[in-house]
Amino acid sequence: MQRFAPVLIIVVSSLAIGGLAWYGPIAQDPAYHDFADQRTLFAVPNFWNVVSNLPFALVGIMGLSRCAALQKDPLFAENRQSYILFFTPVLLIGFGSGYYHLQPDNWRLAGDRLAMALSFMTFLAIVIGEFVSNRLGRQLLLPLGLFGLLSVGYWIVTEQLGAGDLRPYAITQFLPMLVIMVIIFSWKSESIKTSDILIIGAGYGLAKVFEFLDAEIYQVLMISGHTLKHLAAAFSAYWLLIILNRRAGTLP
């Protein structure tokens, strides 16, 4: 499998990018900002969608702290920059997404998505570094991170020009998971179990389901799907912290 993995990654990436190019521009749905739970509590608009971002900030802080504690670990040092550039935007999501949900609009959403895009792409760099090659992970960290940031920049610029296009951001959000699936079933890591990545992926997938069923979940549970999305996505980031804690020989 490892022998054909690079070709498979190229094929999967080409099909995804080619399919989106053929599909045409994807504009931001204006109804996206109309979340099911808009309750104001303690003078905070959209209270639960705001405060449910706190786990991101906590995970980001704990992750950066663990990165500092592991700086003398020779195995961790190979991918340390990737981990730092993952937990930093996770921390920023806690503030950016909270700020967005106070008064949802495209400009605030762009700030939130910048942090998310950077976390998606740096996670891909982590997986490449841990499973394929430390050197390749470091080499791809900057271009992957820049692509993620530029994908959001492209969207907001095209929105201002009246022809919004989310295709590059869609690539940033979804293509890394497909590539990661190929990687973890083709290479083995000394530090991360394949099951760990599957758990992280399952948390992210569940977050997308919660997001899609925002109103339906709210009608049943009185807790919106979007609120649960934040918790599921934060759980995925937290699992990477569990991996680092395991490496350090401590409990999460």
Side-chain angles (χ1 to χ4, degrees):
M1 179 67 176
Q2 187 178 120
R3 178 180 177 183
F4 301 102
V7 174
L8 183 56
I9 290 172
I10 292 173
V11 170
V12 168
S13 301
S14 298
L15 288 174
I17 295 171
L20 283 173
W22 172 82
Y23 185 84
I26 302 174
Q28 178 67 55
D29 182 1
Y32 179 83
H33 306 299
D34 187 21
F35 299 103
D37 189 354
Q38 300 182 17
R39 291 174 292 180
T40 296
L41 295 174
F42 307 108
V44 178
N46 309 307
F47 179 82
W48 291 111
N49 282 342
V50 172
V51 300
S52 58
N53 286 288
L54 288 175
F56 287 112
L58 293 175
V59 171
I61 291 170
M62 290 188 294
L64 291 172
S65 176
R66 177 55 65 196
C67 288
L70 286 171
Q71 60 181 333
K72 294 183 179 180
D73 182 337
L75 292 177
F76 177 72
E78 297 288 348
N79 298 295
R80 183 169 180 265
Q81 289 181 330
S82 297
Y83 281 98
I84 291 173
L85 282 179
F86 173 79
F87 284 112
T88 298
V90 168
L91 170 61
L92 294 176
I93 289 170
F95 297 100
S97 183
Y99 179 69
Y100 160 66
H101 281 288
L102 284 171
Q103 188 178 334
D105 61 27
N106 278 353
W107 279 108
R108 293 186 180 215
L109 181 59
D112 183 19
R113 283 179 170 169
L114 283 170
M116 289 193 292
L118 187 56
S119 68
F120 296 148
M121 301 309 274
T122 52
F123 180 65
L124 175 56
I126 287 172
V127 172
I128 293 171
E130 295 283 13
F131 281 82
V132 182
S133 162
N134 291 323
R135 181 180 179 183
L136 183 60
R138 291 194 302 271
Q139 290 175 335
L140 291 178
L141 177 60
L142 180 58
L144 286 174
L146 284 176
F147 180 85
L149 296 176
L150 289 173
S151 72
V152 179
Y154 175 81
W155 163 63
I156 200 65
V157 168
T158 55
E159 281 287 344
Q160 294 305 302
L161 294 175
D165 190 0
L166 282 166
R167 286 178 296 175
Y169 181 68
I171 292 171
T172 295
Q173 192 172 26
F174 296 109
L175 182 56
M177 296 309 298
L178 297 177
V179 173
I180 286 170
M181 288 301 106
V182 175
I183 290 173
I184 65 174
F185 288 113
S186 302
W187 284 273
K188 297 296 181 183
S189 169
E190 296 180 1
S191 305
I192 301 179
K193 300 175 183 178
T194 298
S195 59
D196 286 325
I197 303 301
L198 292 176
I199 290 171
I200 292 172
Y204 179 70
L206 190 60
K208 299 308 293 181
V209 172
F210 286 149
E211 180 181 36
F212 182 74
L213 298 176
D214 181 34
E216 291 81 357
I217 292 174
Y218 182 61
Q219 291 175 357
V220 175
L221 301 178
M222 291 303 291
I223 297 175
S224 74
H226 203 86
T227 294
L228 294 179
K229 170 205 170 182
H230 292 159
L231 300 180
F235 168 81
S236 286
Y238 178 68
W239 200 264
L240 192 60
L241 176 61
I242 288 178
I243 295 169
L244 292 185
N245 285 332
R246 185 192 302 151
R247 174 180 285 176
T250 64
L251 293 175

